[in-house]
Amino acid sequence: MPKLRPAGFRNPYPAYSLHLPEGLAGVTMRQVAVQHRDDDEAAGVLAGVVGSLHGAHAPVTYEHAAHVDRLGYTNDVILAYWLDGDAEKSWSEEHPLGSWAAPELTAKGGPIGLWTEVLRAPADHFETSYSYDSPTWGLASRFPTVLNGCHSYPGSMRDRIPAAEDAGLAGEVDSVVQAAPADSAGRHLVVTTPGNLCFIRSPQGWKHCPDDERAWFEERVLPVYQDGVGYLAANPQETGCLSARLADLIVSNDDRVQTATLAWFLSLSHLERWAHSHATHLAIFKSAGELIARFAPDIHVTLGHEVYVAPEGGRMEYLNCHDRTGFLPYFPAQYR
């Protein structure tokens, strides 16, 4: 019995998780992004990034999302997954960040920025949860799902991560001060992050809902959700959320998915604190619960998440990106 599941607890609705093979060592997920203000200027660079994801050492799957950040830049983000860590490291050595754009495009004042953020999580450092039994986004494109009763109660996320039991996977850093970041225009910066940062990818989809359920979601749930993600993005010191990108899915393996939140927290505990007790997430939980109560058991809205805890410091790279990108405002950067 999971340690945090209340005695006699009954799940209010079914949820599913991936059935992973015993031999799976872990997962590497790398975000590679083109930052720009002009789609036409970025198109060729983005095509080069996508082209690099085929052939030797290619990821097992990838998808394309787009996020407009707080300074108005579009970030076309490729989310690529590897099940072989050595293959990912070989791929990253073969495709350095600057290889996708001509130097004049990433020079100071140039129109293109590039960034990449990577996480490497052993199999006992991540969990998945889905509102339906046949997801195909992210890792679910590679593995089947099984019904999972560890959901819908405080601590259920931790119960689904084997290494997180007994307060495991504590973060190395409890808080950050948002300082003046290094000047990144025309330069290649590298940030080494502390261990046990927590990353969540959380999708939403409602286009296949019946009209009444879709209208309910768009009018009563989606605005509350967007407010919550906006709060995370604007309040890193309070929430411990260093980056919260609400992105539209451009190319996905799952046509039920429309948007996704891509967020980094200082630790699993920081994500838990926001999810369990913060007013913005409690409002999300309340609005989603009202939708479930209204339309259960025949619910069509697509929800779920992947949650990873990266046990070692990550190498995050930024080339000609504005100085509020990713981890640049929080940790020391070195010029490459």
Side-chain angles (χ1 to χ4, degrees), residues 85-118:
D86 291 337
E88 185 275 330
K89 290 178 180 178
S90 296
W91 179 90
S92 65
E93 291 171 357
E94 294 168 3
H95 301 284
L97 193 61
S99 65
W100 294 299
E104 60 268 22
L105 292 179
T106 56
K108 188 170 184 177
I112 298 296
L114 294 165
W115 58 263
T116 183
E117 295 172 355
V118 61

PDB file of all heavy atoms in Angstrom, residues 85-118:
ATOM      1  N   GLY A  85      20.712   6.761 -22.780  1.00  0.00           N
ATOM      2  CA  GLY A  85      21.429   7.963 -22.392  1.00  0.00           C
ATOM      3  C   GLY A  85      22.704   8.179 -23.191  1.00  0.00           C
ATOM      4  O   GLY A  85      23.066   9.320 -23.504  1.00  0.00           O
ATOM      5  N   ASP A  86      23.393   7.099 -23.536  1.00  0.00           N
ATOM      6  CA  ASP A  86      24.624   7.239 -24.317  1.00  0.00           C
ATOM      7  C   ASP A  86      24.320   7.774 -25.710  1.00  0.00           C
ATOM      8  O   ASP A  86      25.095   8.572 -26.258  1.00  0.00           O
ATOM      9  CB  ASP A  86      25.348   5.898 -24.413  1.00  0.00           C
ATOM     10  CG  ASP A  86      25.934   5.450 -23.083  1.00  0.00           C
ATOM     11  OD1 ASP A  86      26.175   6.325 -22.224  1.00  0.00           O
ATOM     12  OD2 ASP A  86      26.138   4.232 -22.901  1.00  0.00           O
ATOM     13  N   ALA A  87      23.209   7.336 -26.287  1.00  0.00           N
ATOM     14  CA  ALA A  87      22.837   7.827 -27.614  1.00  0.00           C
ATOM     15  C   ALA A  87      22.553   9.327 -27.566  1.00  0.00           C
ATOM     16  O   ALA A  87      22.951  10.074 -28.468  1.00  0.00           O
ATOM     17  CB  ALA A  87      21.622   7.069 -28.126  1.00  0.00           C
ATOM     18  N   GLU A  88      21.873   9.771 -26.499  1.00  0.00           N
ATOM     19  CA  GLU A  88      21.589  11.208 -26.385  1.00  0.00           C
ATOM     20  C   GLU A  88      22.870  12.003 -26.241  1.00  0.00           C
ATOM     21  O   GLU A  88      23.025  13.086 -26.847  1.00  0.00           O
ATOM     22  CB  GLU A  88      20.657  11.462 -25.197  1.00  0.00           C
ATOM     23  CG  GLU A  88      20.213  12.913 -25.067  1.00  0.00           C
ATOM     24  CD  GLU A  88      21.213  13.773 -24.318  1.00  0.00           C
ATOM     25  OE1 GLU A  88      21.919  13.249 -23.433  1.00  0.00           O
ATOM     26  OE2 GLU A  88      21.293  14.996 -24.631  1.00  0.00           O
ATOM     27  N   LYS A  89      23.807  11.528 -25.438  1.00  0.00           N
ATOM     28  CA  LYS A  89      25.056  12.259 -25.264  1.00  0.00           C
ATOM     29  C   LYS A  89      25.841  12.308 -26.567  1.00  0.00           C
ATOM     30  O   LYS A  89      26.447  13.338 -26.901  1.00  0.00           O
ATOM     31  CB  LYS A  89      25.875  11.614 -24.141  1.00  0.00           C
ATOM     32  CG  LYS A  89      25.266  11.837 -22.763  1.00  0.00           C
ATOM     33  CD  LYS A  89      26.061  11.162 -21.657  1.00  0.00           C
ATOM     34  CE  LYS A  89      25.406  11.411 -20.298  1.00  0.00           C
ATOM     35  NZ  LYS A  89      26.118  10.727 -19.198  1.00  0.00           N
ATOM     36  N   SER A  90      25.819  11.216 -27.336  1.00  0.00           N
ATOM     37  CA  SER A  90      26.483  11.225 -28.646  1.00  0.00           C
ATOM     38  C   SER A  90      25.803  12.211 -29.580  1.00  0.00           C
ATOM     39  O   SER A  90      26.471  12.960 -30.308  1.00  0.00           O
ATOM     40  CB  SER A  90      26.476   9.822 -29.255  1.00  0.00           C
ATOM     41  OG  SER A  90      27.236   8.913 -28.482  1.00  0.00           O
ATOM     42  N   TRP A  91      24.471  12.210 -29.553  1.00  0.00           N
ATOM     43  CA  TRP A  91      23.724  13.165 -30.396  1.00  0.00           C
ATOM     44  C   TRP A  91      24.090  14.599 -30.037  1.00  0.00           C
ATOM     45  O   TRP A  91      24.326  15.432 -30.926  1.00  0.00           O
ATOM     46  CB  TRP A  91      22.227  12.938 -30.224  1.00  0.00           C
ATOM     47  CG  TRP A  91      21.397  13.893 -31.027  1.00  0.00           C
ATOM     48  CD1 TRP A  91      20.955  13.728 -32.306  1.00  0.00           C
ATOM     49  CD2 TRP A  91      20.927  15.185 -30.603  1.00  0.00           C
ATOM     50  NE1 TRP A  91      20.249  14.838 -32.702  1.00  0.00           N
ATOM     51  CE2 TRP A  91      20.222  15.740 -31.691  1.00  0.00           C
ATOM     52  CE3 TRP A  91      21.042  15.916 -29.423  1.00  0.00           C
ATOM     53  CZ2 TRP A  91      19.616  17.018 -31.615  1.00  0.00           C
ATOM     54  CZ3 TRP A  91      20.463  17.173 -29.346  1.00  0.00           C
ATOM     55  CH2 TRP A  91      19.757  17.707 -30.429  1.00  0.00           C
ATOM     56  N   SER A  92      24.142  14.924 -28.750  1.00  0.00           N
ATOM     57  CA  SER A  92      24.422  16.296 -28.345  1.00  0.00           C
ATOM     58  C   SER A  92      25.837  16.719 -28.733  1.00  0.00           C
ATOM     59  O   SER A  92      26.075  17.890 -29.052  1.00  0.00           O
ATOM     60  CB  SER A  92      24.205  16.465 -26.841  1.00  0.00           C
ATOM     61  OG  SER A  92      25.126  15.697 -26.098  1.00  0.00           O
ATOM     62  N   GLU A  93      26.782  15.785 -28.727  1.00  0.00           N
ATOM     63  CA  GLU A  93      28.138  16.101 -29.162  1.00  0.00           C
ATOM     64  C   GLU A  93      28.195  16.345 -30.668  1.00  0.00           C
ATOM     65  O   GLU A  93      28.963  17.195 -31.132  1.00  0.00           O
ATOM     66  CB  GLU A  93      29.080  14.955 -28.786  1.00  0.00           C
ATOM     67  CG  GLU A  93      29.302  14.820 -27.279  1.00  0.00           C
ATOM     68  CD  GLU A  93      30.048  13.553 -26.909  1.00  0.00           C
ATOM     69  OE1 GLU A  93      30.352  12.754 -27.834  1.00  0.00           O
ATOM     70  OE2 GLU A  93      30.326  13.353 -25.710  1.00  0.00           O
ATOM     71  N   GLU A  94      27.367  15.640 -31.414  1.00  0.00           N
ATOM     72  CA  GLU A  94      27.344  15.792 -32.867  1.00  0.00           C
ATOM     73  C   GLU A  94      26.596  17.041 -33.315  1.00  0.00           C
ATOM     74  O   GLU A  94      26.792  17.509 -34.442  1.00  0.00           O
ATOM     75  CB  GLU A  94      26.701  14.546 -33.503  1.00  0.00           C
ATOM     76  CG  GLU A  94      27.520  13.274 -33.322  1.00  0.00           C
ATOM     77  CD  GLU A  94      26.724  12.034 -33.691  1.00  0.00           C
ATOM     78  OE1 GLU A  94      25.563  12.171 -34.129  1.00  0.00           O
ATOM     79  OE2 GLU A  94      27.267  10.926 -33.539  1.00  0.00           O
ATOM     80  N   HIS A  95      25.731  17.571 -32.440  1.00  0.00           N
ATOM     81  CA  HIS A  95      24.897  18.701 -32.827  1.00  0.00           C
ATOM     82  C   HIS A  95      25.019  19.823 -31.796  1.00  0.00           C
ATOM     83  O   HIS A  95      24.090  20.086 -31.027  1.00  0.00           O
ATOM     84  CB  HIS A  95      23.444  18.266 -32.972  1.00  0.00           C
ATOM     85  CG  HIS A  95      23.235  17.189 -33.994  1.00  0.00           C
ATOM     86  ND1 HIS A  95      23.258  17.440 -35.339  1.00  0.00           N
ATOM     87  CD2 HIS A  95      23.039  15.856 -33.851  1.00  0.00           C
ATOM     88  CE1 HIS A  95      23.069  16.309 -35.998  1.00  0.00           C
ATOM     89  NE2 HIS A  95      22.933  15.336 -35.124  1.00  0.00           N
ATOM     90  N   PRO A  96      26.174  20.501 -31.762  1.00  0.00           N
ATOM     91  CA  PRO A  96      26.314  21.625 -30.834  1.00  0.00           C
ATOM     92  C   PRO A  96      25.295  22.708 -31.151  1.00  0.00           C
ATOM     93  O   PRO A  96      24.787  22.818 -32.275  1.00  0.00           O
ATOM     94  CB  PRO A  96      27.746  22.098 -31.070  1.00  0.00           C
ATOM     95  CG  PRO A  96      28.103  21.601 -32.439  1.00  0.00           C
ATOM     96  CD  PRO A  96      27.357  20.308 -32.600  1.00  0.00           C
ATOM     97  N   LEU A  97      24.997  23.526 -30.145  1.00  0.00           N
ATOM     98  CA  LEU A  97      23.890  24.472 -30.248  1.00  0.00           C
ATOM     99  C   LEU A  97      24.014  25.393 -31.453  1.00  0.00           C
ATOM    100  O   LEU A  97      23.022  25.679 -32.136  1.00  0.00           O
ATOM    101  CB  LEU A  97      23.802  25.288 -28.958  1.00  0.00           C
ATOM    102  CG  LEU A  97      22.530  26.110 -28.756  1.00  0.00           C
ATOM    103  CD1 LEU A  97      21.303  25.213 -28.705  1.00  0.00           C
ATOM    104  CD2 LEU A  97      22.625  26.941 -27.476  1.00  0.00           C
ATOM    105  N   GLY A  98      25.208  25.858 -31.744  1.00  0.00           N
ATOM    106  CA  GLY A  98      25.368  26.804 -32.838  1.00  0.00           C
ATOM    107  C   GLY A  98      25.317  26.197 -34.222  1.00  0.00           C
ATOM    108  O   GLY A  98      25.378  26.920 -35.221  1.00  0.00           O
ATOM    109  N   SER A  99      25.177  24.867 -34.315  1.00  0.00           N
ATOM    110  CA  SER A  99      25.264  24.214 -35.621  1.00  0.00           C
ATOM    111  C   SER A  99      24.028  24.416 -36.482  1.00  0.00           C
ATOM    112  O   SER A  99      24.051  24.131 -37.682  1.00  0.00           O
ATOM    113  CB  SER A  99      25.522  22.712 -35.432  1.00  0.00           C
ATOM    114  OG  SER A  99      24.408  22.080 -34.796  1.00  0.00           O
ATOM    115  N   TRP A 100      22.938  24.907 -35.894  1.00  0.00           N
ATOM    116  CA  TRP A 100      21.703  25.008 -36.659  1.00  0.00           C
ATOM    117  C   TRP A 100      21.498  26.359 -37.336  1.00  0.00           C
ATOM    118  O   TRP A 100      20.564  26.518 -38.103  1.00  0.00           O
ATOM    119  CB  TRP A 100      20.504  24.713 -35.744  1.00  0.00           C
ATOM    120  CG  TRP A 100      20.473  23.314 -35.265  1.00  0.00           C
ATOM    121  CD1 TRP A 100      20.381  22.184 -36.030  1.00  0.00           C
ATOM    122  CD2 TRP A 100      20.544  22.859 -33.922  1.00  0.00           C
ATOM    123  NE1 TRP A 100      20.400  21.068 -35.244  1.00  0.00           N
ATOM    124  CE2 TRP A 100      20.490  21.447 -33.941  1.00  0.00           C
ATOM    125  CE3 TRP A 100      20.647  23.502 -32.692  1.00  0.00           C
ATOM    126  CZ2 TRP A 100      20.540  20.676 -32.783  1.00  0.00           C
ATOM    127  CZ3 TRP A 100      20.697  22.742 -31.537  1.00  0.00           C
ATOM    128  CH2 TRP A 100      20.649  21.345 -31.590  1.00  0.00           C
ATOM    129  N   ALA A 101      22.325  27.347 -37.031  1.00  0.00           N
ATOM    130  CA  ALA A 101      22.120  28.673 -37.607  1.00  0.00           C
ATOM    131  C   ALA A 101      23.456  29.275 -38.022  1.00  0.00           C
ATOM    132  O   ALA A 101      24.475  29.080 -37.360  1.00  0.00           O
ATOM    133  CB  ALA A 101      21.430  29.596 -36.595  1.00  0.00           C
ATOM    134  N   ALA A 102      23.432  30.022 -39.132  1.00  0.00           N
ATOM    135  CA  ALA A 102      24.626  30.733 -39.566  1.00  0.00           C
ATOM    136  C   ALA A 102      25.033  31.749 -38.497  1.00  0.00           C
ATOM    137  O   ALA A 102      24.165  32.318 -37.821  1.00  0.00           O
ATOM    138  CB  ALA A 102      24.360  31.439 -40.894  1.00  0.00           C
ATOM    139  N   PRO A 103      26.340  31.990 -38.320  1.00  0.00           N
ATOM    140  CA  PRO A 103      26.795  32.897 -37.240  1.00  0.00           C
ATOM    141  C   PRO A 103      26.144  34.271 -37.281  1.00  0.00           C
ATOM    142  O   PRO A 103      25.883  34.855 -36.230  1.00  0.00           O
ATOM    143  CB  PRO A 103      28.306  32.971 -37.480  1.00  0.00           C
ATOM    144  CG  PRO A 103      28.656  31.689 -38.155  1.00  0.00           C
ATOM    145  CD  PRO A 103      27.483  31.364 -39.022  1.00  0.00           C
ATOM    146  N   GLU A 104      25.866  34.779 -38.485  1.00  0.00           N
ATOM    147  CA  GLU A 104      25.268  36.114 -38.545  1.00  0.00           C
ATOM    148  C   GLU A 104      23.856  36.141 -37.984  1.00  0.00           C
ATOM    149  O   GLU A 104      23.372  37.191 -37.546  1.00  0.00           O
ATOM    150  CB  GLU A 104      25.259  36.637 -39.987  1.00  0.00           C
ATOM    151  CG  GLU A 104      24.491  35.784 -40.983  1.00  0.00           C
ATOM    152  CD  GLU A 104      25.372  34.752 -41.686  1.00  0.00           C
ATOM    153  OE1 GLU A 104      26.443  34.412 -41.127  1.00  0.00           O
ATOM    154  OE2 GLU A 104      24.978  34.313 -42.772  1.00  0.00           O
ATOM    155  N   LEU A 105      23.176  35.003 -37.927  1.00  0.00           N
ATOM    156  CA  LEU A 105      21.819  34.955 -37.373  1.00  0.00           C
ATOM    157  C   LEU A 105      21.833  34.973 -35.853  1.00  0.00           C
ATOM    158  O   LEU A 105      20.851  35.370 -35.222  1.00  0.00           O
ATOM    159  CB  LEU A 105      21.085  33.713 -37.872  1.00  0.00           C
ATOM    160  CG  LEU A 105      20.741  33.651 -39.356  1.00  0.00           C
ATOM    161  CD1 LEU A 105      20.029  32.344 -39.675  1.00  0.00           C
ATOM    162  CD2 LEU A 105      19.886  34.834 -39.769  1.00  0.00           C
ATOM    163  N   THR A 106      22.925  34.511 -35.260  1.00  0.00           N
ATOM    164  CA  THR A 106      23.008  34.452 -33.796  1.00  0.00           C
ATOM    165  C   THR A 106      24.040  35.436 -33.246  1.00  0.00           C
ATOM    166  O   THR A 106      24.409  35.359 -32.078  1.00  0.00           O
ATOM    167  CB  THR A 106      23.355  33.032 -33.325  1.00  0.00           C
ATOM    168  OG1 THR A 106      24.571  32.597 -33.952  1.00  0.00           O
ATOM    169  CG2 THR A 106      22.242  32.063 -33.682  1.00  0.00           C
ATOM    170  N   ALA A 107      24.508  36.352 -34.100  1.00  0.00           N
ATOM    171  CA  ALA A 107      25.407  37.390 -33.628  1.00  0.00           C
ATOM    172  C   ALA A 107      24.629  38.413 -32.825  1.00  0.00           C
ATOM    173  O   ALA A 107      23.396  38.467 -32.870  1.00  0.00           O
ATOM    174  CB  ALA A 107      26.100  38.064 -34.815  1.00  0.00           C
ATOM    175  N   LYS A 108      25.340  39.263 -32.065  1.00  0.00           N
ATOM    176  CA  LYS A 108      24.678  40.287 -31.267  1.00  0.00           C
ATOM    177  C   LYS A 108      23.817  41.154 -32.161  1.00  0.00           C
ATOM    178  O   LYS A 108      24.270  41.695 -33.164  1.00  0.00           O
ATOM    179  CB  LYS A 108      25.711  41.145 -30.538  1.00  0.00           C
ATOM    180  CG  LYS A 108      25.100  42.111 -29.538  1.00  0.00           C
ATOM    181  CD  LYS A 108      26.159  42.759 -28.685  1.00  0.00           C
ATOM    182  CE  LYS A 108      25.507  43.647 -27.622  1.00  0.00           C
ATOM    183  NZ  LYS A 108      26.524  44.250 -26.725  1.00  0.00           N
ATOM    184  N   GLY A 109      22.559  41.246 -31.803  1.00  0.00           N
ATOM    185  CA  GLY A 109      21.603  41.973 -32.623  1.00  0.00           C
ATOM    186  C   GLY A 109      20.973  41.128 -33.710  1.00  0.00           C
ATOM    187  O   GLY A 109      20.086  41.589 -34.438  1.00  0.00           O
ATOM    188  N   GLY A 110      21.436  39.860 -33.832  1.00  0.00           N
ATOM    189  CA  GLY A 110      20.863  38.975 -34.836  1.00  0.00           C
ATOM    190  C   GLY A 110      19.443  38.566 -34.487  1.00  0.00           C
ATOM    191  O   GLY A 110      19.017  38.701 -33.336  1.00  0.00           O
ATOM    192  N   PRO A 111      18.701  38.055 -35.465  1.00  0.00           N
ATOM    193  CA  PRO A 111      17.277  37.793 -35.238  1.00  0.00           C
ATOM    194  C   PRO A 111      16.943  36.460 -34.585  1.00  0.00           C
ATOM    195  O   PRO A 111      15.784  36.207 -34.265  1.00  0.00           O
ATOM    196  CB  PRO A 111      16.705  37.832 -36.667  1.00  0.00           C
ATOM    197  CG  PRO A 111      17.837  37.320 -37.515  1.00  0.00           C
ATOM    198  CD  PRO A 111      19.099  37.838 -36.864  1.00  0.00           C
ATOM    199  N   ILE A 112      17.942  35.583 -34.387  1.00  0.00           N
ATOM    200  CA  ILE A 112      17.649  34.220 -33.923  1.00  0.00           C
ATOM    201  C   ILE A 112      18.391  33.937 -32.618  1.00  0.00           C
ATOM    202  O   ILE A 112      19.583  34.222 -32.480  1.00  0.00           O
ATOM    203  CB  ILE A 112      18.071  33.166 -34.973  1.00  0.00           C
ATOM    204  CG1 ILE A 112      17.291  33.363 -36.267  1.00  0.00           C
ATOM    205  CG2 ILE A 112      17.849  31.746 -34.432  1.00  0.00           C
ATOM    206  CD1 ILE A 112      15.803  33.163 -36.151  1.00  0.00           C
ATOM    207  N   GLY A 113      17.678  33.358 -31.660  1.00  0.00           N
ATOM    208  CA  GLY A 113      18.297  32.806 -30.474  1.00  0.00           C
ATOM    209  C   GLY A 113      18.078  31.301 -30.446  1.00  0.00           C
ATOM    210  O   GLY A 113      17.110  30.791 -31.025  1.00  0.00           O
ATOM    211  N   LEU A 114      18.973  30.585 -29.801  1.00  0.00           N
ATOM    212  CA  LEU A 114      18.849  29.139 -29.651  1.00  0.00           C
ATOM    213  C   LEU A 114      19.065  28.781 -28.185  1.00  0.00           C
ATOM    214  O   LEU A 114      19.919  29.365 -27.523  1.00  0.00           O
ATOM    215  CB  LEU A 114      19.886  28.405 -30.508  1.00  0.00           C
ATOM    216  CG  LEU A 114      19.752  28.525 -32.031  1.00  0.00           C
ATOM    217  CD1 LEU A 114      21.035  28.063 -32.711  1.00  0.00           C
ATOM    218  CD2 LEU A 114      18.569  27.706 -32.526  1.00  0.00           C
ATOM    219  N   TRP A 115      18.284  27.844 -27.672  1.00  0.00           N
ATOM    220  CA  TRP A 115      18.541  27.352 -26.322  1.00  0.00           C
ATOM    221  C   TRP A 115      18.200  25.877 -26.230  1.00  0.00           C
ATOM    222  O   TRP A 115      17.406  25.354 -27.025  1.00  0.00           O
ATOM    223  CB  TRP A 115      17.801  28.150 -25.258  1.00  0.00           C
ATOM    224  CG  TRP A 115      16.294  28.249 -25.331  1.00  0.00           C
ATOM    225  CD1 TRP A 115      15.561  29.270 -25.867  1.00  0.00           C
ATOM    226  CD2 TRP A 115      15.332  27.318 -24.804  1.00  0.00           C
ATOM    227  NE1 TRP A 115      14.220  29.039 -25.723  1.00  0.00           N
ATOM    228  CE2 TRP A 115      14.049  27.855 -25.070  1.00  0.00           C
ATOM    229  CE3 TRP A 115      15.432  26.097 -24.135  1.00  0.00           C
ATOM    230  CZ2 TRP A 115      12.868  27.197 -24.696  1.00  0.00           C
ATOM    231  CZ3 TRP A 115      14.263  25.433 -23.769  1.00  0.00           C
ATOM    232  CH2 TRP A 115      13.000  25.984 -24.046  1.00  0.00           C
ATOM    233  N   THR A 116      18.830  25.214 -25.275  1.00  0.00           N
ATOM    234  CA  THR A 116      18.529  23.810 -25.020  1.00  0.00           C
ATOM    235  C   THR A 116      18.595  23.546 -23.521  1.00  0.00           C
ATOM    236  O   THR A 116      19.477  24.055 -22.824  1.00  0.00           O
ATOM    237  CB  THR A 116      19.489  22.874 -25.777  1.00  0.00           C
ATOM    238  OG1 THR A 116      19.114  21.508 -25.560  1.00  0.00           O
ATOM    239  CG2 THR A 116      20.925  23.067 -25.355  1.00  0.00           C
ATOM    240  N   GLU A 117      17.632  22.796 -23.016  1.00  0.00           N
ATOM    241  CA  GLU A 117      17.568  22.404 -21.607  1.00  0.00           C
ATOM    242  C   GLU A 117      17.353  20.899 -21.569  1.00  0.00           C
ATOM    243  O   GLU A 117      16.471  20.370 -22.263  1.00  0.00           O
ATOM    244  CB  GLU A 117      16.443  23.147 -20.892  1.00  0.00           C
ATOM    245  CG  GLU A 117      16.676  24.656 -20.834  1.00  0.00           C
ATOM    246  CD  GLU A 117      15.509  25.462 -20.298  1.00  0.00           C
ATOM    247  OE1 GLU A 117      14.433  24.876 -20.038  1.00  0.00           O
ATOM    248  OE2 GLU A 117      15.656  26.686 -20.157  1.00  0.00           O
ATOM    249  N   VAL A 118      18.136  20.204 -20.762  1.00  0.00           N
ATOM    250  CA  VAL A 118      18.130  18.747 -20.766  1.00  0.00           C
ATOM    251  C   VAL A 118      17.903  18.219 -19.367  1.00  0.00           C
ATOM    252  O   VAL A 118      18.343  18.813 -18.384  1.00  0.00           O
ATOM    253  CB  VAL A 118      19.455  18.201 -21.359  1.00  0.00           C
ATOM    254  CG1 VAL A 118      20.646  18.642 -20.523  1.00  0.00           C
ATOM    255  CG2 VAL A 118      19.429  16.682 -21.487  1.00  0.00           C
TER     256      VAL A 118
END
